[in-house]
Amino acid sequence: MNIHLNTVIVAPMTTLKKSYPTRVKIKHGQQIGQIVVDQIRTIDKVRLIKKLGSLTASEIRSLKTIIKETFVD
């Protein structure tokens, strides 16, 4: 879908640790952080400067679960 659009859906990351149900714990480099699912937004692709990394399979499963619980169930 994103191939045909000039926008992309993103979720911000933070190193502030809060125990909110809409946060997914991740490891980025040597830091532990969180993906903030409740702040998902759409941005223009030109704002993307560089790829910072990738999520592990476990982090992806956790993220999908939180997104489903937040927006579907």
Side-chain angles (χ1 to χ4, degrees), residues 10-54:
V10 299
M13 296 178 359
T14 183
T15 55
L16 296 176
K17 294 165 186 75
K18 304 280 185 169
S19 61
Y20 298 149
T22 55
R23 301 243 173 140
V24 179
K25 183 180 175 183
I26 60 161
K27 184 174 183 184
H28 177 68
Q30 299 302 319
Q31 288 191 327
I32 301 295
Q34 294 178 326
I35 297 174
V36 187
V37 175
D38 57 286
Q39 292 184 19
I40 287 178
R41 63 193 70 162
T42 303
I43 64 169
D44 196 297
K45 286 182 181 177
V46 298
R47 294 187 62 196
L48 300 176
I49 299 169
K50 65 179 178 178
K51 182 178 179 178
L52 297 176
S54 299

